[in-house]
Each structure stands twice: as C-alpha cells, then as structure tokens.
Amino acid sequence: MIRLENVTKRYPGGQEALSGLDLSVDKGEMVFVTGHSGAGKSTLLRLIALIERPTGGQVIVDNQNTSRVKRRKIPAYRRQIGMVFQDHKLLYDRPVFDNVALPLVIAGVSRRDAGRRVRAALDQVGLLHKEKQNPETLSAGELQRVGIARAIVTRPKLLIADEPTGNLDPDLSLEVMRIFRRFNEVGVTLLIASHDISLIDRLGCRRIPLEEGRLQQEDEPW
Amino acid sequence: MVVNRHAEAVAPVRSSGPVSIWATRHVSTAIGSLGRLVRQPFSSLMIILVIAVTLALPAAISLVVKNVRSVSSSWDNALDFSVFLKQELPLGEAEELARLIGQRADVDTVELISADDALAEFKQQSGFAEALDQLSDNPLPHALVVRPGPGNTSASLVLLQEEITNLPETEHVQVDTEWVRRFHAILDIVRQAIAIGAALLGVAIIVIIGNTIRLDIENRRDEIEVTKLIGATNAFVRRPFLWTGFWYGLLGGLMALALVYSGLYMLDGPVARLAGLYQSNIAIASLSLAEGGAIIGVGIFLGLSGSWLTAARHMRRIEPR
C-alpha cells in the first residue's frame, strides 16, 4: 500500500528530516510510526499526504508514484486518503454533521447519500446522537472521534493519523485505538504516528521506529 | 439497524452524474454565500450601498442627459431665421418680400416686424423708452421672422439661409439656433465624460469588492486550509467567494435601480408642474428595460470580476501547512 524508497527530505537551511528512508506497509496492515518528536514521523505522513514533496527518493502510495502526481491532481489524490490530525482540524462554524459531510460535499455526493453515509460514520465512532451539536460543545475525545468520522466517511482504503491520541488521556486513547482497530478489521490500511509506546504494545501492531530520519535498528524481528 | 448502517458505510462512494453534481454544488454554495451576507446584515448592506451609489451615479447623470437631449432635439425643428432688411427699404417692399418668401415650398410662415413695431416693442421691453424718445429717427430696420417648413433637412436649411442672405434687400440673417448645436456638442462632451467616469467607478467597484472578498478569505483561512487538506480543489474553495461577489453585484445593481427610480419618482411632480407652465406634455423618459438590465448586468459582472481576481490569487497562495 505504501512504499518508500531511499526517501530524503531536506528543509531549506540544510536540516534533514528524513535520510534515505526505506519502508513498506502492506494492504490491510495497521502500522505505527514511533519515535521522539523530531524523528521525522510527521514529515513521513506529510510526504504521503503530498503536503510536501521529498527532496530525493520515491514515495509510492496504492501503486501511484506521488512524484508523478501533478499539482492540479493533488486534491483528487488526497481524497483517496483519510487523514486524522492531532488537533483534529474541525471547522467550528458548523455542526458535527456538516463537518463529517465535508469530504462528501467535496466529492460531489448527493445530499441524500451523504446523509446516510455521515450517520453511518458517526455511528461507528459512537457519536450519532451528537450530529446537530457544534464542535465547541464537545470534549477532546469526542472531537477526535468526529475527526475520525470525517476521515472515514468516504471509505478510504488508507487512513493516516498524526498523533491522534496526543491530546487524550489513556482511557480515551485506548478508545480511539479500538475504533482504528475496527476499521483495520474491515480491510482499511492504517499508518499511525504515535509516541505512546505502552499503548501500541497493548495493541500488538507492527512498529516502524524512526530516529533522526532513519529506521532505528531494533532487536525484535518484524 | 447498526448492521445496516455498517453496510452503508462499507459501500463505495458513489457520485451522482456530473451535471447534477455541478448544479447541486452551485445552488447550495450560492445559498450558503447569500446566507453569510444575511448573517452580517450591516456590513453587507454598506458594501451593497456603496456599489449601488457607484452604479446609480453615472446611470442617473446619463438619464438626465438623455432627457435634456430629447427636449432639445425638439428645438431643432424650430430653426427660425431673423432676416434684418436694409435700413432704407420701404415698408411696402418689405411686405412684398415677405409675401414672396412665404410662397416658397420650404418655408412655413413669414412674419413681418415693421421698424415701428420693433421700436415700440423694444421701448416696452428694454425700459429705455425715454432715451429712445430722444432719437429723431427709428434706428431699427424692418425684419422678417422666417420659419422653415417641417420637411427641411439640415442641408436644405443651409441652402435656404444662403438664398435669403443673398437677396439684395437683405442686410443680415441671424440664425437663432446656433446655440442649440453648441448645446448638443456640450451634451456630447458630458456623455463622453460620463462614460469615462463610469469606467473609473467600475474599477472602484472591482477594488471594493476585491478588498471585501480578501478580508473574507483571510477570516476563513483556516477553513480553506482544512478543506484543501481533505482534498478540495482550488475551484471548490473559490466557489463560495465567487458567489459572494455575484450577490454583491446583483444586490448592488438592484439597489442602484431602486435609487434611480426613487429619484425619478421625486422629480415627477416638479417636471409635471414645469410641463404645465409650458403647456406641453413633457414626461421624464425613464430607464428602458435594456438599460435597467444593463445596470444589473454591469453590477454582476463587476462583482464577479472583483471576487474572481482576488479569489484566484489568494486560493493558490493558501496551502495546508
């Protein structure tokens, strides 16, 4: 699903976020990218979402070489990927329902179909009863679940999440991870950046440890 | 129920047909943009008013010119010549000449004003009666007022004037309508000036709308970033701002029409009174349907131009970070 070949990302000023990184994630896998802040986790996800482009190497997502995706085609590319953010990036000027419906509106889904899909997505994160509320009235855990509903409402094959539990306490974090796990069980590929090692160990998923933009050598075999 | 919903969620995203997507999106974006304007009634109204005044100003002035022109063009038909005859010409010959000219096909009427009549009238009107009484002779000549027939063209009028000027009895021919031609030339200049002024005001509207849209874009920067992040195209994020510009233009144009019509309504009474004084039936020419449509059309065009110029530039600049 995701393959990185010798990927380097250097920022102006010479700072290197990723250095010759090789990795691959298979279809249907649920994988965690771990490491300290500054290890390159976010940069990796940004390259996959085409928010940035690598300085060198290839990023291949679902058999598409991202370096061949033209600027004009980036929106269509992004619509294939579900994205979850640490700060959930919800829009506070509209209710939960409209937030979750936004990707469908962008994709041009009819209003009737959109309504059914939004409710299905909200149901999956357990927030169906909050569809009319404004995000301001929700708790941190609920906000993140709305963010997840928005990411999965278009049924993407790939979901990437940058520190989705970064602002949550352990119980809420586990709840969010269980939701991810359920998506994984129906075939969604997930790549999640997190530094919450204890939580990841409890889920028993594969880890990709990064350190200073490189794969960290670990004792345990993959 | 839950199982059913789950099945819904797993089904692939199915889009409707391209045309209906396009139409549905535009209708809902248009309504959304209008809703935003309605939710900030005061600031929206200010901008609409500025646009309305800017559109109404040249429209009103050109309407005045149009009316003045239609009134003054009726003066064209009354090109009376004053023919002053030679001083020594006796009254009998003057009468004979008046009769002869009056028989011409291109002349409607000829009125003879004898020297005595002219002096009497002059005494009465000028207030120099006592001074004039001191004169031993009447200094005024006999005069003819020649009114050309209605069938004349401007060329045939010139010919008539020349022929009368060349008569041996004629001292001087004065055409009273020279000022009408000058007046029309002035009106043409005014019209030209209105066109230039209207173009400048149009640029002003584009700048005003562009600036308003720019502020709007800055206020919604986060929203634009997020929507782009989840796959919105530039066209998608630009659309609501284009509709905002459209609404400003449309509402501004409609309000400009309202301003012009209320101005006409207020002038209706005074003009009717003036027409009564002249015993004529002058009515103000209002805006034609095409002119009214043009004001609204120009408003919409300027609104869209202003928002498009701004939105196109800013949308490319705002990218997710």
Side-chain angles (χ1 to χ4, degrees):
Chain A
M1 193 63 165
I2 302 174
R3 206 164 76 244
L4 269 71
E5 290 170 2
N6 195 24
V7 168
T8 299
K9 177 66 190 179
R10 200 176 298 117
Y11 286 106
Q15 174 208 355
E16 214 160 78
L18 296 175
S19 312
L21 185 65
D22 292 294
L23 65 83
S24 85
V25 176
D26 290 337
K27 258 194 177 69
E29 258 195 304
M30 177 163 168
V31 181
F32 284 88
V33 183
T34 60
H36 299 291
S37 55
K41 304 190 295 290
S42 292
T43 303
L44 172 60
L45 295 186
R46 293 164 71 84
L47 293 181
I48 293 168
L50 270 180
I51 298 168
E52 288 172 0
R53 295 203 183 254
T55 318
Q58 312 275 342
V59 179
I60 292 142
V61 177
D62 198 14
N63 298 321
Q64 298 170 83
N65 191 332
T66 58
S67 61
R68 301 224 181 89
V69 177
K70 293 202 179 74
R71 206 180 135 94
R72 244 170 3 97
K73 296 282 183 196
I74 289 178
Y77 169 86
R78 281 194 194 134
R79 289 201 287 272
Q80 307 175 318
I81 302 172
M83 276 181 252
V84 177
F85 311 93
Q86 180 171 6
D87 56 353
H88 44 75
K89 294 199 188 294
L90 298 178
L91 301 176
Y92 287 82
D93 62 345
R94 58 196 79 185
V96 165
F97 183 95
D98 290 8
N99 266 286
V100 177
L102 190 55
L104 298 175
V105 174
I106 292 170
V109 176
S110 76
R111 186 168 286 275
R112 209 190 49 212
D113 285 354
R116 287 207 302 263
R117 298 194 149 274
V118 169
R119 293 202 179 87
L122 281 172
D123 196 30
Q124 289 190 329
V125 297
L127 287 176
L128 190 51
H129 56 295
K130 305 247 176 179
E131 59 168 296
K132 291 196 177 72
Q133 291 196 24
N134 197 281
E136 275 165 7
T137 64
L138 301 184
S139 70
E142 288 169 334
L143 287 172
Q144 192 53 284
R145 276 146 67 197
V146 174
I148 293 167
R150 184 181 68 186
I152 54 117
V153 75
T154 56
R155 251 5 245 194
K157 286 185 281 185
L158 173 64
L159 190 81
I160 59 176
D162 191 4
E163 300 280 5
T165 60
N167 295 336
L168 305 181
D169 63 38
D171 285 348
L172 289 175
S173 299
L174 190 62
E175 171 62 28
V176 165
M177 288 302 173
R178 286 209 178 108
I179 292 170
F180 283 144
R181 196 58 186 266
R182 283 208 298 277
F183 295 138
N184 183 233
E185 280 160 9
V186 294
V188 178
T189 309
L190 288 102
L191 184 67
I192 302 161
S194 176
H195 59 258
D196 196 345
I197 306 285
S198 61
L199 181 66
I200 296 161
D201 284 345
R202 282 171 70 181
L203 290 163
C205 294
R206 175 158 80 93
R207 284 201 280 158
I208 300 175
L210 289 183
E211 194 176 281
E212 292 176 349
R214 290 188 172 79
L215 285 183
Q216 187 187 35
Q217 296 308 311
E218 272 197 318
D219 310 330
E220 53 182 1
W222 291 354
Chain B
M1 192 63 196
V2 173
V3 174
N4 191 13
R5 280 220 179 84
H6 196 76
E8 292 272 8
V10 174
V13 169
R14 183 164 33 85
S15 299
S16 346
V19 175
S20 87
I21 292 176
W22 184 86
T24 315
R25 275 180 173 178
H26 269 283
V27 169
S28 67
T29 319
I31 294 168
S33 295
L34 187 60
R36 267 175 197 280
L37 294 191
V38 172
R39 258 172 275 142
Q40 301 171 322
F42 187 73
S43 62
S44 306
L45 199 66
M46 293 306 267
I47 292 154
I48 290 167
L49 202 59
V50 168
I51 295 164
V53 169
T54 318
L55 284 174
L57 212 62
I61 299 173
S62 56
L63 199 55
V64 168
V65 170
K66 182 172 135 185
N67 275 289
V68 169
R69 215 181 162 77
S70 78
V71 168
S72 66
S73 67
S74 66
W75 300 335
D76 273 343
N77 303 325
L79 296 172
D80 290 0
F81 298 162
S82 297
V83 182
F84 297 99
L85 302 176
K86 293 233 161 72
Q87 187 79 48
E88 61 278 8
L89 198 74
L91 184 61
E93 283 182 41
E95 281 168 348
E96 177 61 16
L97 185 66
R99 204 177 53 76
L100 278 174
I101 295 177
Q103 284 169 350
R104 287 179 62 117
D106 53 357
V107 170
D108 191 19
T109 58
V110 177
E111 189 193 348
L112 172 68
I113 300 171
S114 70
D116 291 344
D117 287 351
L119 186 65
E121 193 184 339
F122 188 49
K123 274 183 185 171
Q124 204 183 358
Q125 288 187 357
S126 67
F128 293 130
E130 285 174 26
L132 290 168
D133 282 340
Q134 303 294 317
L135 295 171
S136 53
D137 290 334
N138 183 353
L140 299 175
H142 302 304
L144 303 177
V145 177
V146 178
R147 171 160 298 179
N152 280 298
T153 64
S154 51
S156 73
L157 284 175
V158 171
L159 201 68
L160 176 64
Q161 187 198 340
E162 269 177 17
E163 283 180 28
I164 294 174
T165 309
N166 291 336
L167 290 175
E169 296 91 342
T170 303
E171 173 71 38
H172 176 63
V173 173
Q174 191 178 325
V175 183
D176 297 335
T177 50
E178 194 60 29
W179 69 275
V180 173
R181 247 169 272 154
R182 291 195 190 123
F183 185 66
H184 281 182
I186 291 170
L187 281 186
D188 282 341
I189 294 170
V190 171
R191 279 212 306 195
Q192 202 75 24
I194 293 171
I196 296 167
L200 291 175
L201 290 174
V203 172
I205 291 181
I206 289 180
V207 171
I208 290 166
I209 292 181
N211 206 39
T212 310
I213 300 287
R214 190 179 58 80
L215 289 176
D216 204 10
I217 289 172
E218 285 305 322
N219 285 339
R220 296 169 67 184
R221 199 192 177 94
D222 289 346
E223 181 190 338
I224 293 165
E225 271 184 29
V226 170
T227 31
K228 276 194 158 190
L229 199 53
I230 58 180
T233 55
N234 279 326
F236 182 89
V237 286
R238 192 164 55 213
R239 201 168 294 135
F241 299 104
L242 295 186
W243 277 107
T244 305
F246 169 86
W247 289 120
Y248 278 140
L250 176 66
L251 296 173
L254 286 174
M255 192 178 269
L257 277 189
L259 289 177
V260 170
Y261 276 116
S262 52
L264 287 175
Y265 178 76
M266 283 188 272
L267 285 177
D268 212 31
V271 168
R273 224 177 314 133
L274 181 71
L277 290 176
Y278 279 96
Q279 279 137 34
S280 78
N281 50 352
I282 313 168
I284 306 185
S286 180
L287 292 171
S288 68
L289 202 64
E291 286 167 328
I295 291 176
I296 294 176
V298 166
I300 291 172
F301 171 77
L302 294 175
L304 279 178
S305 315
S307 55
W308 203 86
L309 286 174
T310 316
R313 206 159 44 89
H314 286 265
M315 286 313 150
R316 270 193 293 269
R317 209 165 43 83
I318 299 176
E319 283 293 336
R321 282 167 293 191

